[in-house]
Amino acid sequence: MNIFEDAGRYTLLMRRVLVFPDRWKMFFRQFPKELEKLGLQSLPIVIIISIFIGAIMTIQTKLNTENPLLPTYSTGLVTRDTLLLEFSSTILCLILAGKIGSNIASEIGTMRITEQIDALEIMGVNSANYLILPKIAAFVFTMPFLVIFSMAVGLFGGYLVGVFSDVITTADYLLGIQYAFIPYYVLYSLVKSLVFAFIISSVAAYYGYYASGGALDVGKASTNAVVNSSILILFFNLLITNLMLN
Amino acid sequence: MIEVKNVNKSFDGNHVLKNVSAIFEDGKTNMIIGASGSGKTVLMKSIIGLHRIDSGKIEYDGRNLPDMRMKDIRILRREVGMLFQGSALFDSMTVLENVMYPLEMFSKADKTEMEERARYCLKHVDLKEKSYNLAPSEISGGMQKRVAIARAIALQPKYLFCDEPNSGLDPKTSLIIDRLIHDITVEFNITTIINSHDMNSVMEIGENIIFINKGIKAWQGNKNDIFHVDNKDLNDFVFASELYKKVKHTNS
């Protein structure tokens, strides 16, 4: 299938998804479940990755900027800006594209091949809206919190390097992460995360919704969802960065 | 009543349904039979609207499905119940929640009334109360079929579609499911269409049988007529086993 056919089908699917639910009661029953599944259950991986990356980034930045001309606070500053600008939004979303994308694509794909989606359609339910909208809404709603959480935990990871090693002093690190802080970077990161959250959930839902065949095809749908949403994330990262930072 | 008139359907140049016309009557178990790949599933999916036909008419009591907009099709589908081959129960819900689901989506009743209706439907299909709070994966295939029937009749449909209702079931359970479908059809005066290649079902509940062969309606009749038909394709299909050859010999 070519890219234009995929884009067309994706657009048509989104037209069915992004409408008011048949029954708000059913939407609000699904929404908290999705918040828990897509948001809360992602917290452990966000914590683990952010704390380690924060720590590693601090060590590497320090080792690569061993220059008496550079101020001592520069390690904290670079760590903070890298976390804010790129890691906690883009890299975190690329990782979550694997976790959340495969989860959504395989769940909806399994419903497709076991005829559960056909059953919804036969009942007269807008299956795309009923199944996909709560997932997109929940993930887009959760993502900014995950990003802010990742920033905080990542910075804490760098702080731990100061506490448990002699790579950097905690005083230098704390000064660095506060120095020349630009709040706009947080806004930029949050805007990116919202777009990426929509891409991850909608692209994964698209591949799951149009899965056909058997278990093997659900696996393929999951893989396609992860690969294509990752490519789209990188593309939109470039686009948004150009628009907001250039 | 559902009337199919001159229906044609192709997939990538492969002409699957060729000018098929048939009438499916109220209060009767209408069966579509045919060998694998004959086009019977395509016919059923076309009647339900899961496939868009190339030409022809599919009239639900005078309402032509191919002319309808998606919104109207959704409204029509609220009058339709369907029993899928694999039951298609929602595995994130319990048995009771599965049956309550269409009521929650479309009825204005309060929760107690919905639960009462769901319990009534489950009782009607002879499902024990202790299984109501189990997940579909925790009950047997036969029980899953019963739950699927209960879900299909929860909104008191005018039309009931059954796709291979006996697939994967033992002969005794198959018989129970067949009788259940027949009894419900008669009791609620539903237009029931069953897609099957199970000859036991055909002999048990085939009140109006349509035989599809290579995309063409090759024969129409009932379970009594089938013994006296001079159609080689039909005889080869229905009386393929030694047992049925003997049954035919005895009957004719």
Side-chain angles (χ1 to χ4, degrees):
Chain A
M1 191 178 297
N2 65 47
I3 191 169
F4 298 108
E5 199 173 335
D6 263 336
R9 287 214 305 177
Y10 172 83
T11 310
L12 288 174
L13 179 68
M14 286 305 117
R15 265 182 62 188
R16 290 181 60 205
V17 172
L18 302 173
V19 292
F20 289 123
D22 290 334
R23 279 245 159 155
W24 282 102
K25 187 180 85 174
M26 301 301 270
F27 174 81
F28 285 117
R29 188 188 289 179
Q30 289 297 103
F31 186 69
K33 286 182 190 169
E34 300 298 344
L35 276 183
E36 199 253 328
K37 196 168 64 186
L38 305 178
L40 275 180
Q41 287 183 15
S42 297
L43 267 183
I45 193 161
V46 170
I47 292 172
I48 292 168
I49 291 169
S50 302
I51 208 159
F52 276 95
I53 294 290
I56 293 161
M57 211 181 279
T58 305
I59 296 168
Q60 288 185 350
T61 308
K62 181 66 186 172
L63 291 177
N64 286 289
T65 53
E66 294 261 20
N67 188 328
L69 294 174
L70 287 170
T72 51
Y73 59 75
S74 59
T75 301
L77 188 145
V78 171
T79 303
R80 180 201 68 202
D81 280 356
T82 313
L83 280 169
L84 255 60
L85 288 168
E86 210 52 27
F87 174 76
S88 293
S89 51
T90 311
I91 306 300
L92 185 75
C93 282
L94 283 171
I95 293 162
L96 289 180
K99 182 187 180 290
I100 304 295
S102 58
N103 175 305
I104 292 175
S106 56
E107 183 187 323
I108 296 179
T110 305
M111 289 188 78
R112 166 64 74 192
I113 63 160
T114 54
E115 296 179 311
Q116 292 177 49
I117 292 180
D118 286 342
L120 285 168
E121 286 292 321
I122 295 297
M123 283 178 203
V125 177
N126 177 350
S127 62
N129 175 272
Y130 173 74
L131 293 173
I132 301 171
L133 186 64
K135 291 187 194 301
I136 293 178
F139 196 47
V140 170
F141 179 81
T142 318
M143 193 47 116
F145 296 103
L146 290 178
V147 167
I148 288 173
F149 197 72
S150 164
M151 289 171 183
V153 174
L155 290 174
F156 180 67
Y159 177 77
L160 291 180
V161 172
V163 173
F164 292 109
S165 72
D166 54 1
V167 173
I168 186 173
T169 65
T170 51
D172 282 344
Y173 181 76
L174 288 174
L175 175 64
I177 62 170
Q178 292 171 77
Y179 189 81
F181 173 62
I182 303 169
Y184 181 72
Y185 285 177
V186 178
L187 177 72
Y188 157 75
S189 204
L190 291 179
V191 168
K192 283 205 301 184
S193 72
L194 290 173
V195 174
F196 297 161
F198 182 82
I199 289 171
I200 294 169
S201 48
S202 63
V203 169
Y206 165 75
Y207 280 102
Y209 196 81
Y210 288 111
S212 61
L216 200 66
D217 301 277
V218 174
K220 277 184 197 163
S222 292
T223 309
N224 284 337
V226 175
V227 170
N228 290 309
S229 53
S230 299
I231 293 168
L232 281 171
I233 285 171
L234 293 173
F235 173 76
F236 275 90
N237 187 28
L238 183 66
L239 190 75
I240 296 168
T241 304
N242 224 349
L243 285 172
M244 293 186 75
L245 292 187
N246 200 355
Chain B
M1 184 179 76
I2 296 174
E3 199 172 350
V4 171
K5 293 177 187 168
N6 306 319
V7 166
N8 285 285
K9 173 71 189 167
S10 302
F11 292 99
D12 300 324
N14 178 21
H15 202 169
V16 180
L17 293 179
K18 296 161 190 162
N19 239 21
V20 175
S21 297
I23 292 175
F24 302 98
E25 295 167 57
D26 297 344
K28 278 189 180 177
T29 42
N30 303 277
M31 301 192 83
I32 303 172
I33 62 168
S36 300
S38 59
K40 61 184 192 303
T41 302
V42 175
L43 176 60
M44 183 178 240
K45 288 195 169 176
S46 301
I47 295 171
I48 307 162
L50 290 176
H51 289 323
R52 192 165 274 276
I53 56 171
D54 302 338
S55 64
K57 284 186 173 182
I58 296 165
E59 291 183 346
Y60 283 72
D61 292 304
R63 294 168 288 177
N64 188 23
L65 185 80
D67 289 346
M68 288 182 181
R69 291 180 310 162
M70 199 57 211
K71 194 180 160 196
D72 297 321
I73 291 176
R74 286 219 184 93
I75 293 166
L76 172 72
R77 281 181 177 164
R78 289 169 199 174
E79 298 173 18
V80 172
M82 177 138 185
L83 173 60
F84 285 87
Q85 193 173 350
S87 300
L89 297 176
F90 306 127
D91 32 40
S92 58
M93 300 178 193
T94 64
V95 163
L96 188 65
E97 285 167 347
N98 260 283
V99 182
M100 280 177 71
Y101 179 81
L103 298 163
E104 285 179 310
M105 277 313 278
F106 302 116
S107 98
K108 289 191 172 97
D110 63 42
K111 204 179 171 207
T112 320
E113 287 170 325
M114 283 188 229
E115 197 172 322
E116 264 173 33
R117 172 73 190 158
R119 283 177 184 278
Y120 167 80
C121 293
L122 285 166
K123 222 172 176 179
H124 212 83
V125 296
D126 271 335
L127 208 77
K128 301 276 183 296
E129 194 148 353
K130 63 181 180 185
S131 56
Y132 290 6
N133 290 317
L134 297 176
S137 58
E138 295 172 309
I139 58 176
S140 69
M143 285 161 91
Q144 286 181 10
K145 289 275 156 100
R146 286 166 195 261
V147 178
I149 295 172
R151 186 178 68 181
I153 61 168
L155 278 173
Q156 294 172 297
K158 284 169 76 176
Y159 316 98
L160 179 65
F161 294 90
C162 308
D163 185 20
E164 306 276 5
N166 299 331
S167 97
L169 299 181
D170 62 82
K172 196 178 166 192
T173 311
S174 298
L175 197 64
I176 293 168
I177 297 295
D178 282 340
R179 287 185 183 156
L180 193 57
I181 293 169
H182 181 259
D183 293 347
I184 284 166
T185 303
V186 174
E187 187 179 345
F188 300 113
N189 196 35
I190 302 170
T191 306
T192 298
I193 302 178
I194 303 166
N195 186 356
S196 181
H197 50 216
D198 180 355
M199 285 311 113
N200 290 327
S201 296
V202 173
M203 299 305 174
E204 187 69 26
I205 56 168
E207 292 175 308
N208 178 28
I209 304 164
I210 288 152
F211 174 59
I212 302 288
N213 186 38
K214 294 172 188 161
I216 295 166
K217 189 184 90 177
W219 180 80
Q220 182 165 5
N222 62 39
K223 61 182 178 181
N224 300 316
D225 303 334
I226 213 161
F227 291 105
H228 314 289
V229 183
D230 191 21
N231 181 320
K232 190 182 176 303
D233 292 324
L234 179 65
N235 286 329
D236 287 349
F237 172 70
V238 176
F239 305 105
S241 71
E242 285 305 315
L243 175 66
Y244 279 107
K245 277 176 189 156
K246 282 178 188 163
V247 172
K248 181 176 168 66
H249 183 72
T250 313
N251 272 276
S252 56

